[in-house]
Amino acid sequence: MIILADSHRNVYMIAGGLTQFKKTNFNEDFRLNVKHSLDYALKDSGMKIDDIDGSVSAYFSDHLQGQLIAGAMSNDFIGLAGKPSKRIEGGGATGGLAFQTAYEEIASGTMDTCLAYGFENMSHVGTWRGNDIIALGSDASFDYPLGGFYTAYYALMATRHMYEFGTTEKQMAMVSVKNHGNAMHNPYAQAPMDITVDDVLKSPVVSSPIKMLDICLMSDGAACAILASEEVARSYSGKPVLIKSIGSSSDTMRLADRPFGTVPLLPNETPDMYKNLKYPGVHSFRAGRLAARMAYRKAGISNPQKEIDFAELYDAYTSSEIQAYEDMGFCPYGQGGKFIEEGKSMLDGDIPVNMEGGLQASGHAIGATGIMQAVYAFWQLQGTVHRHMGNNRLQVKNPHLGIIHSHAGTGAYEAVTVMEAV
Amino acid sequence: MGYGKLLKIDPLVVEWNYTTEYRHSYAEDSPFFIELGRGKLLGSRCKSCGFKYGTYRKYCMYCGSETEDMDLPFKGKVHSFTTCYYSGETFRGDVPYILVLVEFPGIDSLFMSRLFMEQGEKPEIGMEVVARFKKFQTFTVNDVYFVPA
Ligand SMILES: [Zn+2]
């Protein structure tokens, strides 16, 4: 089945803002976090809160925050009470899906301007308890009671990926080194680090083969993006960025349910590339590949390897960034380890990935994360990294097309969005 | 939520404990958990398309048809594994422990379980494992576990 619904109106991102992601931020609550990121975006675009038609809020867990309907609390705090609003929740993909929902509000003609904002304050529970709560985002009858938690699920995927394709722990460590190193130039990043492959390999094993420095952080933080129709986008002085297309997909919640079949092909792939590969198996984020395929088709991208200039990929684990290179078609399936080893995802590589540090080093305030990625992509495509970060080290040279990508669970929901400089 | 323990003055941070008793119904999955107590490991076979599930389910994810219960073989192979040195709070006392995805001959999907091994033994992909059952039922998926065959 092919999903081919055309969007009806062009949608632009016209401003973005974010707070620095922190391990704990007890000085401001989630509402003030949101406001701080919003104030930045409003100032950057010259907009006022009255110019916003409505909002989409993004946060993952009511349990982490200990507050339900937190979106409504944020709305009246920032001056949006009385305007249409909805909350989007989709695990790790929450922010990415909320961003796409805001896109739909504009594309459908429901709104001319829409604020997508996301937040999470994960410091309200300890790490072990946080692991527990997040693990309830897996099957609570069959998976969680085993002592299943997310690092373990990704480790099961990584173990099989290593077995199938020869991916190594060293290649995974290279992702961590790259992303933590990139973050050294990002003032918003939670954990910039100048580390080596050895440092990663020697960090404590959390769930073999995944080690402490292969894992993203729990964070407090917020991010927001203001989206607008073409007409409105033109009326503001800044440099709008076109949201070219969106794609999303889903997969079985339980890893154990992933069947074995044939690989859904991306536009730059042929069936003979995967003659003997049983897919998706537990080494693959099938939904990521399907979401990419949908987004590429709608954006008219026939060769992502050549056409995409940079990507913000979901690197909650170093292994998942490697898997995402493959899901996005940056290299043939199974070759993600080589892709990082050859430096192709480095700042000066073929397709720079997670220039600002990704989830690994920027932080993962879950609901904010997908929107944080959109803000970074927006700044890249505007060519304004220098203005927002105070230095130009992370700016990709003249980028035209960028993608942002996130997933929930072990790929239960995935969202891929293509953004274009115009 | 009760009165909190004072953690910090500026900003004011208090800590409180929030607990909930959940009535977790296995509902249509109940036969699987009940049969574990009789030393049986149930999978499911779709009556319509024939897909054989290594993890019990009453309805087929492909065609929506009702499935029928089938006995899974006790012997399988390790499809993937991990050793957990950290976990969620609830399982903090259990670390380290090994999780495996088990593949059974002739079955189209997998089953996640714990693997118990002797000290010094290491899990491997393809290793043969066999199901064992807890003597006293906990009415969780832990009532079955695997050991090297
Ligand atoms: Zn069926």
Side-chain angles (χ1 to χ4, degrees):
Chain A
M1 185 183 60
I2 294 169
I3 302 167
L4 258 185
D6 285 325
S7 65
H8 313 287
R9 302 205 298 172
N10 281 342
V11 181
Y12 292 82
M13 179 163 170
I14 58 174
L18 61 157
T19 66
Q20 194 198 7
F21 285 16
K22 295 177 180 168
K23 185 170 190 292
T24 53
N25 184 6
F26 285 144
N27 287 312
E28 52 191 84
D29 68 10
F30 62 94
R31 298 171 303 175
L32 190 53
N33 267 203
V34 169
K35 181 167 170 53
H36 281 156
S37 69
L38 174 62
D39 286 348
Y40 189 93
L42 290 175
K43 194 172 166 217
D44 192 45
S45 60
M47 296 180 86
K48 294 187 296 295
I49 190 69
D50 289 348
D51 299 327
I52 307 284
D53 290 341
S55 66
V56 178
S57 67
Y59 52 103
F60 162 56
S61 175
D62 301 310
H63 305 298
L64 284 171
Q65 182 70 45
Q67 171 68 58
L68 282 67
I69 322 187
M73 289 179 76
S74 305
N75 281 340
D76 69 53
F77 194 86
I78 57 181
L80 287 181
K83 292 187 173 173
S85 184
K86 54 177 70 93
R87 176 226 182 149
I88 297 295
E89 187 281 311
T94 294
L97 292 169
F99 187 77
Q100 296 192 343
T101 304
Y103 166 97
E104 289 159 353
E105 298 282 19
I106 312 278
S108 66
T110 306
M111 297 182 196
D112 278 321
T113 53
C114 183
L115 168 69
Y117 68 83
F119 60 85
E120 210 80 42
N121 277 19
M122 302 174 75
S123 62
H124 295 217
V125 294
T127 302
W128 290 72
R129 178 61 66 196
N131 279 342
D132 232 8
I133 289 171
I134 295 166
L136 288 170
S138 64
D139 189 298
S141 293
F142 285 94
D143 293 346
Y144 166 76
L146 294 167
F149 70 117
Y150 266 94
T151 308
Y153 304 143
Y154 277 72
L156 286 164
M157 298 186 86
T159 302
R160 189 70 198 186
H161 198 278
M162 292 164 76
Y163 174 84
E164 296 269 352
F165 308 113
T167 310
T168 65
E169 291 178 49
K170 207 173 145 191
Q171 290 167 337
M172 287 160 59
M174 286 172 186
V175 173
S176 175
V177 172
K178 166 178 74 74
N179 294 357
H180 286 97
N182 286 352
M184 298 286 285
H185 312 290
N186 176 7
Y188 290 100
Q190 182 176 342
M193 276 190 249
D194 185 13
I195 50 170
T196 63
V197 164
D198 240 30
D199 292 332
V200 182
L201 294 176
K202 283 180 180 155
S203 64
V205 179
V206 174
S207 191
S208 64
I210 294 179
K211 292 161 281 294
M212 213 67 104
L213 285 172
D214 286 305
I215 306 176
C216 68
L217 302 148
M218 293 199 195
S219 312
D220 288 1
C224 75
I226 300 173
L227 275 51
S229 62
E230 184 142 2
E231 200 184 351
V232 172
R234 283 185 201 286
S235 71
Y236 287 92
S237 57
K239 193 178 177 214
V241 163
L242 180 67
I243 301 168
K244 184 97 171 161
S245 70
I246 61 172
S248 63
S249 193
S250 64
D251 209 336
T252 65
M253 177 69 133
R254 291 191 293 246
L255 263 186
D257 285 346
R258 303 277 161 90
F260 306 104
T262 53
V263 185
L265 298 175
L266 293 169
N268 56 333
E269 296 178 330
T270 52
D272 58 301
M273 290 167 74
Y274 304 123
K275 264 188 301 222
N276 301 312
L277 180 62
K278 297 281 185 211
Y279 192 89
V282 299
H283 49 69
S284 310
F285 295 104
R286 173 171 56 175
R289 177 164 276 261
L290 292 168
R293 191 169 73 163
M294 182 177 173
Y296 292 163
R297 186 180 285 144
K298 288 203 259 175
I301 292 170
S302 57
N303 188 346
Q305 263 174 54
K306 292 219 170 88
E307 294 167 57
I308 290 167
D309 299 309
F310 70 85
E312 299 286 343
L313 302 184
Y314 195 84
D315 60 329
Y317 300 89
T318 53
S319 51
S320 69
E321 181 171 314
I322 287 175
Q323 290 164 292
Y325 301 149
E326 304 166 355
D327 294 330
M328 301 300 114
F330 294 173
C331 58
Y333 200 86
Q335 301 299 306
K338 283 208 185 89
F339 192 78
I340 175 75
E341 199 166 84
E342 290 166 0
K344 289 184 175 164
S345 54
M346 306 290 276
L347 212 45
D348 58 357
D350 294 358
I351 309 176
V353 172
N354 294 333
M355 295 73 61
E356 300 82 4
L359 284 58
Q360 288 277 320
S362 292
H364 187 19
I366 306 177
T369 300
I371 297 169
M372 167 190 85
Q373 293 175 313
V375 173
Y376 286 149
F378 173 71
W379 291 344
Q380 286 288 353
L381 291 164
Q382 271 193 324
T384 56
V385 168
H386 179 265
R387 180 149 62 83
H388 301 290
M389 297 209 177
N391 73 78
N392 218 31
R393 292 287 302 273
L394 305 174
Q395 177 71 54
V396 175
K397 303 280 170 286
N398 304 315
H400 179 62
L401 272 189
I403 63 165
I404 60 174
H405 154 255
S406 50
H407 52 228
T410 47
Y413 297 123
E414 302 237 9
V416 173
T417 300
V418 180
M419 294 168 71
E420 183 180 33
V422 287
Chain B
M1 293 187 189
Y3 291 103
K5 180 170 80 181
L6 181 64
L7 291 187
K8 208 168 171 329
I9 291 287
D10 184 24
L12 187 60
V13 181
V14 294
E15 184 174 75
W16 57 53
N17 194 28
Y18 174 76
T19 54
T20 306
E21 274 184 287
Y22 283 106
R23 293 172 188 179
H24 187 88
S25 171
Y26 289 115
E28 72 279 1
D29 292 334
S30 298
F32 171 83
F33 293 92
I34 290 165
E35 292 304 316
L36 287 181
R38 300 192 179 111
K40 282 183 90 173
L41 184 58
L42 292 184
S44 308
R45 184 186 164 280
C46 177
K47 286 185 201 169
S48 167
C49 75
F51 195 91
K52 290 180 190 145
Y53 290 94
T55 302
Y56 189 83
R57 61 192 299 148
K58 259 293 179 241
Y59 292 88
C60 177
M61 69 180 181
Y62 286 105
C63 64
S65 305
E66 204 173 339
T67 61
E68 59 193 7
D69 297 359
M70 60 177 287
D71 289 335
L72 290 172
F74 290 162
K75 255 197 190 174
K77 281 182 181 169
V78 171
H79 185 79
S80 194
F81 65 91
T82 181
T83 306
C84 305
Y85 296 91
Y86 291 78
S87 73
E89 188 68 41
T90 309
F91 306 97
R92 200 168 179 155
D94 292 8
V95 294
Y97 53 86
I98 302 167
L99 294 182
V100 284
L101 286 158
V102 180
E103 57 179 66
F104 300 101
I107 305 297
D108 301 312
S109 67
L110 308 169
F111 182 72
M112 196 188 290
S113 192
R114 287 226 193 156
L115 174 70
F116 289 88
M117 302 183 82
E118 299 292 330
Q119 197 103 35
E121 285 183 315
K122 281 204 162 114
E124 262 177 49
I125 286 177
M127 193 176 96
E128 291 213 325
V129 290
V130 62
R132 292 263 188 276
F133 297 87
K134 284 236 172 95
K135 196 166 171 187
F136 299 105
Q137 260 184 297
T138 62
F139 300 101
T140 72
V141 69
N142 292 294
D143 287 342
V144 62
Y145 58 93
F146 285 78
V147 296

